[in-house]
Amino acid sequence: MYAILDIETTGGKFNEEGITEIAIYQFDGHKVTDQFISLVNPEREIQPFVVNLTGINSSMLKNAPKFYEVAKRIVEITEDCIIVAHNSSFDYRILKTEFKRLGFPFKRKSLCTVELSQQLLPDMESYSLGKLTRALGIPMADRHRANGDAMATVKLFKMLLNKDLDKVIVKDAIKIEQKSKIAPNLNAIIEALPSDTGVYYIHNIEGDIIYIGKSKNIRKRIIQHFTGTNSKSKKIQKLVSTVTYEKTGSELAALLKESAEIKKNTPIFNRALRRRIFTHALYRFTDKNGYINLHIDKSDQKEIPITTFSTRASGKHFMFKVVDEYNLCQKLTGLEPTKTSCFKYGVKECQGACINEESVNDYNKRVHSLIEKYSYDKKDMLIIDKGRSIEEKSVFLIENGIFKGMGFFDLNHQINNRAILKSLITPMENNRDTQHIIQSYMRRNKRLKIIDLN
């Protein structure tokens, strides 16, 4: 017997979410034998993006039962059943968390239809529930609502059972929940950690730092270290004595602190990050006709890049995006090696710089706009990002294209005053890694507040 379910939550920090809606279909392998569908009052705030995604808001849940009022029914309908869900580790974790809050140990076997689909339907383009069901012709209503998603999962699971000629599902795919393998001393360390963004330091019994990392959720990341089975995780589990941390609020602050402190402390398990964190860069040159050409190449210590990339692939991806955004020529950006006009010229999407038809000034003006946006060379500016609390922001100072340091300020500070600003900033080293971190973060985060100090 199976209990096929879907859960909608409030969103929020790991293991602090609450259930807003649950749908469970008891399924005997052939037909639905029982069902339970209910909104749930989570007694906590719903994240705005979740409201937009599901349409479930706090006013809808005001008179809904609280979890403890539906817990008995959930136990009854899942008794002696295997939990089935699309990404079951999420739904099962949420259920266990809610029952743990009630002091009740909830344990069931579980199956994940994402993993089963990957085994039994190996050539699908996507394994997200919406795209997978659409590709398979499975009708779906009320996407991102528990009942609609649970019923779609019932139909998908029924199809998977039919395709499972080797009976993998019945024989092999059942994941019996393992008892926690985390040692009691490691559990105690985890309990003391926050679910916030920051940098963490793993110490041995002598107090030496053996690993430095950053995470948007420090507790979740440490749990991964303590439950990991690879060689590095096992060594860390054996040597760890305590974990300290520093909240940053901003992921950019965490990335910069992590990079700087790994260089300073050289922990034994951070060998990979001691090396340079970028391999390729975007460079410019002017050709004999006066057009500014752009190209991705291996990072060169002598040449000043416009921006840098972790891999050649990420650089190429960036170039295809900005060629469309700034209406540039694929030939003059190194994306199309040709001696004649580029492909986009033939379909009237290039204005002819590749064959000297477009004005040099007009074309170069657009290239300069790109460089201005993605390079901070010779600029004086502030980057403003999240702080460690609602009343605070983080600030990063760049003067004449050089990263000077970072700090935090209360919202009532006048950070445009240079004297006040300098007192808030903790000086940090400017190097090619910090430039890469800042430029990459600015590319990924379009809503960052940038203040021009010129």
Side-chain angles (χ1 to χ4, degrees):
M1 192 73 82
Y2 306 96
I4 303 174
L5 59 85
D6 186 79
I7 289 168
E8 303 300 330
T9 73
T10 58
K13 293 177 181 174
F14 184 81
N15 275 356
E16 293 180 18
E17 312 100 317
I19 293 176
T20 57
E21 188 176 37
I22 185 166
I24 305 174
Y25 287 95
Q26 198 180 76
F27 183 70
D28 65 2
H30 307 281
K31 63 184 183 299
V32 172
T33 54
D34 195 2
Q35 67 183 57
F36 173 67
I37 302 157
S38 179
L39 290 169
V40 179
N41 184 340
E43 303 181 87
R44 65 197 67 214
E45 197 77 20
I46 305 175
Q47 298 293 311
F49 80 91
V50 176
V51 174
N52 292 333
L53 183 69
T54 65
I56 300 171
N57 57 50
S58 296
S59 61
M60 291 170 60
L61 305 178
K62 199 176 292 181
N63 299 316
K66 296 178 174 66
F67 184 78
Y68 73 85
E69 295 175 283
V70 298
K72 183 181 177 185
R73 178 71 176 116
I74 293 170
V75 170
E76 289 171 348
I77 197 170
T78 61
E79 192 81 56
D80 299 322
C81 289
I82 298 163
I83 297 283
V84 178
H86 206 70
N87 190 11
S88 61
S89 60
F90 171 79
D91 298 80
Y92 186 34
R93 174 180 68 78
I94 295 294
L95 267 182
K96 288 196 296 181
T97 299
E98 289 281 17
F99 277 106
K100 186 179 179 183
R101 289 172 187 150
L102 301 179
F104 183 86
F106 182 82
K107 292 186 179 181
R108 300 287 187 268
K109 297 174 183 178
S110 68
L111 272 173
C112 178
T113 51
V114 175
E115 294 176 10
L116 292 173
S117 299
Q118 289 168 340
Q119 291 175 39
L120 298 170
L121 305 165
D123 298 320
M124 305 306 294
E125 281 189 19
S126 171
Y127 292 93
S128 72
L129 185 60
K131 290 180 180 177
L132 184 59
T133 51
R134 187 160 57 248
L136 295 172
I138 295 172
M140 189 173 192
D142 294 330
R143 181 76 177 105
H144 297 302
R145 290 296 298 269
N147 187 32
D149 286 4
M151 181 46 72
T153 306
V154 170
K155 293 170 182 173
L156 172 63
F157 187 62
K158 197 170 183 178
M159 181 181 287
L160 292 171
L161 282 171
N162 291 335
K163 286 185 175 291
D164 186 20
L165 300 178
D166 296 327
K167 299 303 172 196
V168 173
I169 294 174
V170 177
K171 293 190 297 187
D172 302 322
I174 296 169
K175 295 190 292 186
I176 300 171
E177 183 187 24
Q178 296 180 348
K179 291 182 179 178
S180 173
K181 293 182 179 178
I182 301 178
N185 65 313
L186 302 186
N187 262 324
I189 291 171
I190 290 166
E191 288 300 315
L193 297 173
S195 301
D196 296 295
T197 300
V199 181
Y200 58 88
Y201 311 85
I202 300 178
H203 303 258
N204 63 17
I205 198 164
E206 284 83 29
D208 300 325
I209 299 172
I210 58 174
Y211 187 81
I212 296 174
K214 76 92 201 166
S215 179
K216 291 196 221 178
N217 186 324
I218 293 171
R219 177 184 287 188
K220 182 180 178 182
R221 187 70 189 92
I222 293 297
I223 289 171
Q224 290 170 346
H225 283 303
F226 289 178
T227 56
T229 56
N230 61 37
S231 174
K232 185 174 80 174
S233 292
K234 286 180 177 178
K235 288 174 183 174
I236 286 174
Q237 291 159 25
K238 189 175 179 181
L239 294 174
V240 60
S241 174
T242 188
V243 176
T244 58
Y245 61 88
E246 187 175 339
K247 293 184 189 180
T248 61
S250 159
E251 188 185 3
L252 176 57
L255 285 162
L256 289 168
K257 284 187 73 66
E258 177 195 37
S259 175
E261 298 194 6
I262 287 171
K263 286 180 172 67
K264 183 179 177 183
N265 293 281
T266 60
I268 58 172
F269 295 121
N270 281 110
R271 289 194 182 92
L273 271 174
R274 290 182 212 162
R275 298 190 292 271
R276 190 187 302 164
I277 57 177
F278 63 93
T279 59
H280 288 74
L282 176 63
Y283 297 105
R284 58 177 285 180
F285 70 90
T286 303
D287 65 23
K288 63 182 181 182
N289 298 312
Y291 293 100
I292 298 173
N293 284 230
L294 302 174
H295 66 110
I296 302 290
D297 207 341
K298 286 185 178 179
S299 175
D300 182 351
Q301 296 280 357
K302 297 172 187 173
E303 201 174 344
I304 297 173
I306 296 167
T307 188
T308 51
F309 306 95
S310 300
T311 62
R312 179 182 286 277
S314 63
K316 281 287 179 74
H317 176 77
F318 170 80
M319 286 307 299
F320 277 112
K321 188 180 74 169
V322 295
V323 160
D324 288 339
E325 184 181 347
Y326 289 91
N327 192 19
L328 302 181
C329 173
Q330 288 194 341
K331 178 181 176 181
L332 302 189
T333 50
L335 296 177
E336 188 182 335
T338 177
K339 293 182 179 178
T340 57
S341 61
C342 70
F343 171 77
K344 279 183 172 284
Y345 178 77
V347 293
K348 297 184 167 54
E349 290 181 12
C350 169
Q351 296 179 39
C354 44
I355 52 173
N356 303 324
E357 277 190 9
E358 185 181 5
S359 153
V360 170
N361 286 340
D362 288 348
Y363 184 81
N364 286 354
K365 192 181 291 184
R366 297 199 301 278
V367 178
H368 279 302
S369 296
L370 182 155
I371 294 169
E372 175 72 17
K373 180 175 179 180
Y374 291 104
S375 170
Y376 59 75
D377 186 36
K378 297 178 182 174
K379 288 184 184 176
D380 286 1
M381 67 182 197
L382 300 178
I383 302 170
I384 310 297
D385 202 6
K386 296 175 187 173
R388 296 162 296 189
S389 65
I390 297 172
E391 301 83 21
E392 184 183 72
K393 294 285 186 185
S394 56
V395 59
F396 307 84
L397 174 62
I398 292 167
E399 288 183 332
N400 196 28
I402 295 171
F403 172 58
K404 292 293 187 178
M406 55 161 281
F408 299 93
F409 66 95
D410 293 332
L411 298 183
N412 59 357
H413 270 114
Q414 297 296 316
I415 58 164
N416 287 336
N417 182 310
R418 286 283 181 117
I420 294 175
L421 177 61
K422 293 258 173 129
S423 69
L424 298 172
I425 294 293
T426 300
M428 293 181 74
E429 183 184 349
N430 177 70
N431 55 48
R432 292 168 74 89
D433 285 343
T434 59
Q435 291 169 5
H436 170 74
I437 289 167
I438 292 168
Q439 289 175 326
S440 297
Y441 193 78
M442 289 173 69
R443 285 200 304 270
R444 294 197 316 270
N445 295 271
K446 307 296 184 191
R447 295 182 182 177
L448 277 177
K449 184 177 179 181
I450 310 293
I451 298 176
D452 191 341
L453 295 177
N454 291 322

